[in-house]
Amino acid sequence: MLLPAAVFLAICGCAGSTQSVVAKAGGELAAAPKEAAKGWESNGIRVVRVGRAMNGMMLDLRYRITDLAQAQKVLTRQANMVLIDQQSGRVLAVPNTAKVGKLRQIPNEATKDRLFWAFFNNSDLRVKRGDKVTWKVDGVAIEDIVVE
C-alpha cells in the first residue's frame, strides 16, 4: 500500500522546471531550455535529463517529442524501454507494479514539445551522478546521456 503512495510522491516531487536562467547582453536575464546545449536526440525524441529519484533507487528520465511522425513509430505501449549503464553494461528496466502498472508515460495523442517521463529501477544504487547511460526504445538508442 505504501509503494503507490511513494511512487506518486516521487513523481510529483521530480516534476521540476526544465529551464535555466542565462544572462543576455546588457545584463538582462532570460529563460533558456537546458536541453538546448545537449545533443541527446534521435528519431524525433530529445532527452531533457536523467536524474536520480527516491534517494537514487530510481532514475527519472524526462524527454520531449520534436518530430511526431518519427516518434510515433518508436513510442508505443508495446515498446521495450530500457536504460543501459555504459560503464558496466547493466540494463535498468521500467518497474511494472501490480496496482500502478509501468512507471512510464507514453503519449496518447499527437503532442509536440510536451515533457514526458519514465522511471528506471536502480535499487542497487550502481548508477550514480555523472555516469553515462544509453536509452534504448525498441532498437533506437540515444547514447552518452549524463546522469544529473
Side-chain angles (χ1 to χ4, degrees), residues 27-118:
E28 296 176 25
L29 295 179
K34 277 186 179 180
E35 68 267 21
K38 300 175 184 172
W40 305 328
E41 186 169 355
S42 179
N43 284 38
I45 304 167
R46 177 184 300 138
V47 174
V48 175
R49 69 181 292 270
V50 172
R52 296 168 20 130
M54 297 179 64
N55 286 332
M57 293 182 67
M58 297 267 197
L59 295 181
D60 175 12
L61 171 90
R62 300 296 168 121
Y63 63 95
R64 291 189 192 279
I65 308 246
T66 57
D67 185 329
L68 295 171
Q70 285 186 341
Q72 285 178 342
K73 295 175 189 173
V74 176
L75 293 174
T76 64
R77 296 243 175 252
Q78 297 76 27
N80 185 24
M81 188 181 289
V82 295
L83 268 184
I84 301 169
D85 179 17
Q86 290 183 353
Q87 185 176 8
S88 68
R90 191 168 149 266
V91 176
L92 308 174
V94 174
N96 191 3
T97 64
K99 291 187 178 185
V100 179
K102 290 186 179 181
L103 297 181
R104 68 179 187 177
Q105 184 180 23
I106 299 290
N108 292 355
E109 56 197 45
T111 308
K112 186 177 176 184
D113 289 330
R114 184 173 157 209
L115 192 62
F116 295 96
W117 56 266

